[in-house]
Amino acid sequence: MDLFIDSADVNAIETRAASGLIDGVTTNPSLIAKSGQPFHDTVVKICNIVGGPVSAEVIATEHDAMLAQGRELAALHEHIVVKLPMTIAGLATCKALTKDGIKTNVTLCFSAVQGLLAAKAGATYVSPFIGRVDDIGLAGMELIHDMRQVFDNYAFDTKILAASIRHTEHVLQAAMAGADAATIPVAVFDKLLNHPLTDQGLEAFLADWKSAGLT
Ligand code: E4P
């Protein structure tokens, strides 16, 4: 399973990428706005740090403008994946960019049938938003299970990128449901590694080593 960081914070991404465990990054307009940094510079910096797919989202809502923005974003760096909203214009743009050999990520996916449409449009990735579905009282993870089955039934190449991840259990459940990748906020990524018993265990090992006078 590929692990992506869901952030536009260049420093935070750089620190986590040093682990060698980060396969890619997703950004969105809200994350870029939060970073307070220029859009294009930021995504290029991120591309150079991670050396893997970096999703950068179009802002246009009409097909022609989306296509122009998508091509402009793709020209910034070979690792750019053009992120498009789950709309008719977004799907038509996905199809056109795919034909050009440009990688795409159809975002704001809240149902498995939307996922089916993204796959039909030739999307490289589709992003089901697990946490936001949970937020409205439904079972977000069902999206992953259902999309996995649909994609496998028809051998679609589109990768399921579990998004809107809120906690480590989401990462585990997405992995068990067969998501190809998960995009994870920095705070959740850090928690994947941490366990109090690991800290206690390491402390005890080192203390025993020291008290035995070993070097
Ligand atoms: C994914 O590509 C999105 O940027 C992200 O996962 C949205 O997450 P949120 O629901 O926490 O905003």
Side-chain angles (χ1 to χ4, degrees):
M1 185 197 212
D2 283 343
L3 298 182
F4 292 3
I5 291 283
D6 193 27
S7 173
D9 179 336
V10 172
N11 291 332
I13 291 165
E14 194 160 32
T15 313
R16 276 70 186 184
S19 69
L21 296 172
I22 306 303
D23 301 297
V25 168
T26 54
T27 67
N28 65 37
S30 303
L31 292 170
I32 293 286
K34 192 174 154 201
S35 78
Q37 299 300 311
F39 180 29
H40 288 187
D41 285 3
T42 302
V43 291
V44 169
K45 276 184 192 158
I46 296 171
C47 284
N48 287 326
I49 292 168
V50 298
V54 174
S55 290
E57 190 160 341
V58 301
I59 305 303
T61 54
E62 303 301 327
H63 174 62
D64 289 349
M66 273 185 185
L67 194 54
Q69 276 185 13
R71 286 178 173 147
E72 192 186 356
L73 288 171
L76 291 175
H77 198 285
E78 59 179 330
H79 294 314
I80 291 284
V81 174
V82 178
K83 214 174 184 190
L84 300 154
M86 176 65 72
T87 60
I88 280 291
L91 292 172
T93 305
C94 177
K95 192 135 198 167
L97 291 175
T98 301
K99 208 169 160 199
D100 285 357
I102 292 172
K103 292 202 167 81
T104 54
N105 175 0
V106 176
T107 189
L108 292 166
C109 176
F110 294 94
S111 76
V113 284
Q114 286 183 324
L116 173 62
L117 295 182
K120 295 278 295 173
T124 315
Y125 295 95
V126 61
S127 294
F129 274 38
I130 307 309
R132 292 194 197 185
V133 173
D134 286 353
D135 289 346
I136 60 164
L138 299 174
M141 202 54 66
E142 280 182 12
L143 275 182
I144 308 288
H145 287 277
D146 292 351
M147 284 170 57
R148 181 74 281 149
Q149 187 173 334
V150 170
F151 288 13
D152 289 351
N153 283 350
Y154 298 99
F156 284 121
D157 290 333
T158 300
K159 291 184 174 164
I160 301 172
L161 172 53
S164 189
I165 296 280
R166 300 276 196 263
H167 43 70
T168 57
E169 191 62 18
H170 271 159
V171 179
L172 173 62
Q173 294 297 331
M176 289 173 67
D180 297 287
T183 187
I184 308 169
V186 169
V188 178
F189 177 79
D190 292 345
K191 284 184 188 152
L192 289 177
L193 179 72
N194 295 334
H195 196 290
L197 293 180
T198 303
D199 298 341
Q200 286 170 30
L202 181 58
E203 206 177 309
F205 284 159
L206 295 179
D208 289 346
W209 187 268
K210 198 173 169 192
S211 62
L214 299 167
T215 54

